[in-house]
C-alpha cells in the first residue's frame, strides 16, 4: 500500500510551532482519505519538545514526507507485519514509565542504568531532517529530534574493549506479537561498529514533527542511522552494550543471505530478490535513483574505504 497524494504542507517552509498546529489540522483533513482505507490513522503523538535546529550537514533539503507516510506506514514487527499495523496496534501499548536504558558490556568503564528523563538532558535536542531508505526500496524524509548517540555512549566512559555496540529493543510478550507470529526473534537486536556508533550522524532519537515519538515510530527512544537501510534503526531501545565482537542482528539471524551486518544503502548491490538501484519516495509518483550511502557519502564513505562493500553487505 503506497501513498500517492502530495502533502499540501511543506514542513521546511514553516517554523516548528506552525508545523505543530498545522499538523493537527492536516491530520483532521486527512481523515477522509484514512476512512477510505488509504492509510491507517496515525496516532496523535503527545508531548511537545524543546529543540534547536541541527547543523546544516544534518538537514536534508528534500521535501519532508507526509505525516501519514512517516507515522502511518511503518515496520515494527512487534506490533504486526503489515505496514498499517504498527499505527493501528502500537498506540494501545502503554509505554513503561519510568523508561530505563541499561548501558553495559566489557567496553563500558562505567556501566549504568539511566532514566529517559536523564537521557533527555545529556545533550541539547536538535531537529535533523534525514532521508530514510528502507531495504524494501521505499524512502521517506523525516524531521527527527534527538542528539548524536556518541553523547550518551561517552557517559559510560568507553574503554579500548568498545569495538561494537549491541542494541536491544524492549520486549513484552503480553503486549506484543510472539516471535512465531512475527516471523523474527524478539527482543529485536541490532548493532553498529564503534566508529559508526560514534559518528555524529547516528541519532539517538526521542521525537518527530516537534513532539515525542508516536509508539509506532519506536517510542520513547530509538536509534536512527540514515546511511543504512531502515532496519538498522532500532526502535523502543532498552539496552546498549559496548562489546568486543560483532553482535548478532535480528534480520541477519532471520536471513543471513539477504541481510548483512553493515547494510549500508548501496544501489550497486542488489537484494537477492530485488534491485536496490531505485526507490519510491512515499508521496511522489516517479521513482528516484538510490544514492550510495543514501546520499551521506561525503560524511561516512571514509569509514568503509578499505572494505569490499559487496562482501560486507
Ligand atoms: N525496531 C524494532 N524493534 N522492530 C522492528 O520491527 N523495524 C525496522 C526498524 N526498527 C523494526 C525496528 C525496519 S525494517 C524499519 S524500515 C524501520 O524501523 C522503520 O522505521 P519507521 O517505521 O519509523 O519508518
Amino acid at each position: 500500500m503506497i501513498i500517492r497524494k502530495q502533502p499540501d504542507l511543506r514542513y521546511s517552509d514553516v517554523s516548528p510551532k506552525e508545523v505543530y498546529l498545522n499538523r493537527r489540522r492536516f491530520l483532521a483533513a486527512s481523515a477522509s482519505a484514512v476512512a477510505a482505507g488509504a492509510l491507517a490513522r496515525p496516532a496523535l503523538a503527545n508531548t511537545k519538545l524543546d529543540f534547536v535546529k541541527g547543523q546544516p550537514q544534518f538537514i536534508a533539503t528534500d521535501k519532508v514526507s507526509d505525516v501519514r507516510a512517516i507515522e502511518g506506514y511503518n515496520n515494527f514487527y512487534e506490533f504486526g507485519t503489515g505496514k498499517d499495523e504498527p499505527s493501528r496496534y502500537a498506540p494501545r501499548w502503554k509505554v513503561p514509565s519510568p523508561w530505563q536504558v541499561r548501558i553495559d558490556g566489557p567496553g563500558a568503564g562505567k556501566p549504568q542504568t539511566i532514566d529517559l528523563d536523564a537521557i533527555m538532558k545529556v545533550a541539547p535536542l536538535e531537529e535533523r531532517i534525514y532521508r530514510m531508505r528502507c531495504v524494501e526500496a521505499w524512502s521517506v524524509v523525516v524531521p527527527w529530534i534527538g542528539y548524536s548517540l556518541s553523547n550518551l555512549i561517552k557517559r559510560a566512559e568507553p574503554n579500548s574493549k568498545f569495538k561494537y555496540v549491541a542494541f536491544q529493543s524492549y520486549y513484552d510478550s503480553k503486549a506484543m506479537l510472539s516471535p512465531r507470529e512475527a516471523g523474527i526473534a524478539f527482543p529485536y537486536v541490532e548493532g553498529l561498529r564503534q566508529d559508526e556508533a560514534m559518528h555524529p550522524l547516528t541519532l539517538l532519537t526521542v521525537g518527530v514533527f516537534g513532539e515525542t515519538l508516536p509508539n509506532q515510530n519506536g517510542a520513547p527512544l530509538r536509534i536512527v542511522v540514515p546511511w543504512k537501510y531502515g532496519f538498522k534503526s532500532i526502535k523502543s531501545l532498552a539496552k546498549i552494550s559496548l562489546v568486543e565482537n560483532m553482535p548478532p542482528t535480528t534480520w541477519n539471524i532471520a536471513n543471513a543471505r539477504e541481510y548483512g551486518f553493515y547494510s549500508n544503502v548501496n544501489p550497486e548491490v542488489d537484494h537477492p530478490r530485488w534491485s536496490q538501484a531505485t526507490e519510491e519516495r512515499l508521496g511522489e509518483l516517479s521513482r528516484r535513483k538510490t544514492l550510495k550511502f543514501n546520499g551521506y557519502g561525503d560524511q561516512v564513505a571514509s569509514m568503509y574505504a578499505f572494505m569490499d562493500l559487496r562482501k560486507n553487505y
Side-chain angles (χ1 to χ4, degrees):
M1 203 193 296
I2 294 298
I3 305 97
R4 302 212 178 265
K5 248 188 96 189
Q6 291 290 338
D8 51 10
L9 173 64
R10 217 190 128 104
Y11 187 82
S12 51
D13 287 341
V14 284
S15 75
K17 182 155 178 245
E18 284 164 323
V19 168
Y20 172 77
L21 297 170
N22 278 331
R23 179 165 167 264
R24 296 284 172 232
R25 267 184 267 136
F26 188 53
L27 283 170
S30 67
S32 54
V34 172
L39 232 129
R41 184 190 182 84
L44 297 179
N46 7 76
T47 315
K48 269 183 90 171
L49 291 168
D50 279 327
F51 58 89
V52 297
K53 250 184 164 359
Q55 297 295 306
Q57 70 269 28
F58 302 134
I59 308 287
T61 51
D62 309 39
K63 182 161 74 180
V64 166
S65 297
D66 186 320
V67 62
R68 292 168 297 175
I70 294 170
E71 300 181 7
Y73 190 88
N74 304 96
N75 278 325
F76 199 171
Y77 276 52
E78 286 87 333
F79 294 104
T81 56
K83 301 286 177 260
D84 60 334
E85 287 179 315
S87 60
R88 275 160 59 194
Y89 303 122
R92 296 180 199 162
W93 173 49
K94 197 174 174 328
V95 177
S97 176
W99 186 269
Q100 295 192 316
V101 177
R102 179 73 194 155
I103 311 178
D104 64 7
K110 205 175 146 204
Q112 56 192 278
T113 301
I114 177 167
D115 277 15
L116 183 64
D117 287 350
I119 290 175
M120 296 278 238
K121 292 179 195 131
V122 166
L125 298 178
E126 289 173 10
E127 180 178 65
R128 300 186 180 181
I129 298 176
Y130 279 175
R131 290 181 294 273
M132 305 295 293
R133 170 63 157 78
C134 180
V135 74
E136 297 163 297
W138 48 270
S139 62
V140 282
V141 182
V142 187
W144 297 120
I145 293 171
Y147 57 74
S148 297
L149 172 66
S150 62
N151 294 297
L152 181 62
I153 289 181
K154 281 178 199 151
R155 294 248 320 197
E157 296 176 12
N159 59 39
S160 61
K161 289 184 177 160
F162 171 29
K163 299 274 169 42
Y164 292 89
V165 55
F167 299 112
Q168 195 179 100
S169 288
Y170 183 84
Y171 181 62
D172 176 358
S173 61
K174 290 189 214 76
M176 298 170 177
L177 296 193
S178 68
R180 202 174 49 81
E181 290 167 315
I184 57 174
F186 292 134
Y188 195 99
V189 288
E190 256 305 334
L192 294 170
R193 206 172 60 190
Q194 185 265 1
D195 54 344
E196 297 176 328
M198 301 306 280
H199 193 282
L201 270 172
T202 300
L203 192 69
L204 186 71
T205 307
V206 296
V208 68
F209 287 114
E211 303 177 343
T212 51
L213 286 172
N215 286 3
Q216 65 267 31
N217 291 99
L221 181 73
R222 70 177 296 178
I223 299 296
V224 170
V225 193
W227 71 95
K228 293 179 179 281
Y229 292 120
F231 64 85
K232 301 295 288 182
S233 294
I234 187 170
K235 296 179 169 179
S236 302
L237 187 63
K239 197 163 142 196
I240 300 173
S241 304
L242 310 185
V243 297
E244 290 179 90
N245 300 311
M246 186 182 279
T249 58
T250 293
W251 285 99
N252 184 253
I253 297 167
N255 190 339
R257 205 175 77 84
E258 299 192 358
Y259 308 107
F261 177 83
Y262 286 96
S263 290
N264 292 313
V265 173
N266 191 346
E268 295 155 19
V269 178
D270 287 339
H271 183 279
R273 289 184 282 137
W274 57 81
S275 165
Q276 294 291 22
T278 63
E279 67 200 53
E280 172 164 17
R281 178 69 52 85
L282 297 185
E284 287 180 9
L285 290 173
S286 54
R287 294 186 75 81
R288 54 171 68 212
K289 282 205 165 90
T290 288
L291 303 172
K292 201 163 180 180
F293 300 113
N294 203 24
Y296 295 96
D298 288 352
Q299 296 176 62
V300 304
S302 62
M303 291 195 287
Y304 311 101
F306 302 103
M307 285 174 66
D308 178 348
L309 295 178
R310 288 186 175 274
K311 256 170 64 190
N312 297 287
Y313 54 94

